[in-house]
Amino acid sequence: MTNSQDIVTLQNELLQHVPYNNPLFQCYATNAFFPSNNNYYITEHWHDDLEFIYINNGQLEFSVNGNTFILNENEGVLVNSKRIHSNHTIDNKSCGFYCAIMHPDLVCSNKYIEQKFLKPLSSLNSFDYLILRKDDWTKDIIDELTNLFEKANPKTIELEILEASYRICRILFNNMEFVETPNIQTDHYITNFKSMILFIQDNYMNKISLDEISYAGNVGKTLCAKIFKKYTSKTPGDYLIYYRIQKSIELLTTTSLSTTEISFSTGFSSASHFTKTFRTLMGYTPLQYRNNPRNNFEKYCLIPEKK
């Protein structure tokens, strides 16, 4: 089963890709639940795919291109292509959600459809994110998403995802205005920020200085700190720590490495420092997380995973 923490995987040219449940079908879908004693955090990332999340229990804090908001139960969000986003649970709050991450190519049946509908929809001039609620027209998008998780036939799930994707596109174009214009990056700091994040994600296992992070983004240290504050509400150093913890979770859940080995593999100076930081951010020790993961959260994939 694909781990929710594993959806951030690097790719060339400052893009990131999603390890789809089935590599032959460009969709990652999972139903996750995290009780109040289990913290969950996905660091800032971006990908070509459209991302849908619907909260069916509790709350989730979400951020898109530096805008942070709380998603409550029965609310959701649609994040557009290539937008920087992150999400995490709220202390002492449970959270359950449906998540579907779909590549625009799923509905590109021909060049005409791509040019008329997909290009305007996913353009950088289009919306960054759309809040989904049950009291306006976005309820129809929620219904499409929940139907996939609650009513879809596993034998025909890929076909049902395709059908739902086309219907969601139709809903969006019936209710929003999309103009086919050239992609123009209105905030040039996004490129600097992505370069710095990419540097951190390529070098998190080593000792990294603020000078090196800012140099990677071709900015000074002061501007580097301001850019991270804008897009992550963290310092560069704090972002590095969160990313190291995220990578340590992958190693805890997919390998038999000791906590000492994991601590050094993810850039911590010692096992004790790693354990203390992990407990602070996740609520319990690395060994507690490894030894009892199923009692702390449940999740399953909508699409059967292919090897």
Side-chain angles (χ1 to χ4, degrees), residues 80-290:
N80 210 340
S81 175
K82 295 184 176 70
R83 272 56 175 188
I84 298 167
H85 57 286
S86 65
N87 62 83
H88 62 86
T89 52
I90 300 170
D91 288 346
N92 301 316
K93 298 283 186 179
S94 63
C95 182
F97 58 83
Y98 298 146
C99 175
I101 305 176
M102 306 175 187
H103 199 281
D105 284 353
L106 278 181
V107 292
C108 285
S109 56
N110 58 53
K111 285 293 182 181
Y112 176 77
I113 294 296
E114 180 181 0
Q115 292 298 322
K116 182 173 181 178
F117 296 105
L118 270 300
K119 290 289 187 181
L121 171 63
S122 59
S123 163
L124 293 176
N125 303 309
S126 183
F127 68 93
D128 288 336
Y129 64 94
L130 179 66
I131 300 296
L132 310 178
R133 297 185 175 91
K134 288 195 170 184
D135 59 358
D136 60 25
W137 62 269
T138 59
K139 174 184 180 299
D140 293 338
I141 298 177
I142 291 176
D143 290 343
E144 293 291 344
L145 189 63
T146 55
N147 284 340
L148 284 176
F149 282 93
E150 297 172 5
K151 300 179 181 179
N153 185 340
K155 293 177 62 176
T156 57
I157 183 60
E158 289 86 356
L159 292 176
E160 295 187 47
I161 288 173
L162 287 176
E163 292 176 340
S165 298
Y166 278 106
R167 286 193 293 265
I168 288 173
C169 284
R170 186 185 64 200
I171 292 167
L172 290 170
F173 274 84
N174 282 340
N175 291 277
M176 301 178 71
E177 292 292 330
F178 296 96
V179 180
E180 191 172 355
T181 56
N183 283 345
I184 301 173
Q185 183 57 273
T186 56
D187 186 350
H188 63 279
Y189 288 142
I190 287 180
T191 300
N192 304 89
F193 178 64
K194 287 181 176 180
S195 296
M196 291 186 285
I197 280 188
L198 185 59
F199 174 79
I200 289 175
Q201 294 177 349
D202 278 342
N203 297 278
Y204 68 91
M205 69 293 297
N206 304 315
K207 186 176 181 179
I208 300 176
S209 68
L210 179 59
D211 284 328
E212 291 173 310
I213 295 172
S214 59
Y215 181 80
N218 196 31
V219 296
K221 290 188 290 185
T222 300
L223 182 54
C224 169
K226 288 182 178 179
I227 292 173
F228 268 85
K229 183 68 174 178
K230 176 178 180 179
Y231 289 112
T232 71
S233 299
K234 302 180 188 68
T235 67
D238 286 341
Y239 175 85
L240 173 60
I241 290 172
Y242 272 91
Y243 190 76
R244 283 171 169 166
I245 291 296
Q246 180 171 301
K247 301 307 288 186
S248 74
I249 289 173
E250 296 176 19
L251 295 177
L252 284 168
T253 56
T254 61
T255 75
S256 59
L257 293 174
S258 69
T259 55
T260 299
E261 291 172 314
I262 291 174
S263 67
F264 289 113
S265 296
T266 53
F268 287 94
S269 58
S270 66
S272 60
H273 181 214
F274 167 54
T275 298
K276 180 180 179 180
T277 304
F278 194 100
R279 186 201 294 268
T280 299
L281 296 183
M282 301 304 296
Y284 31 71
T285 69
L287 285 180
Q288 288 172 331
Y289 190 97
R290 165 181 274 171

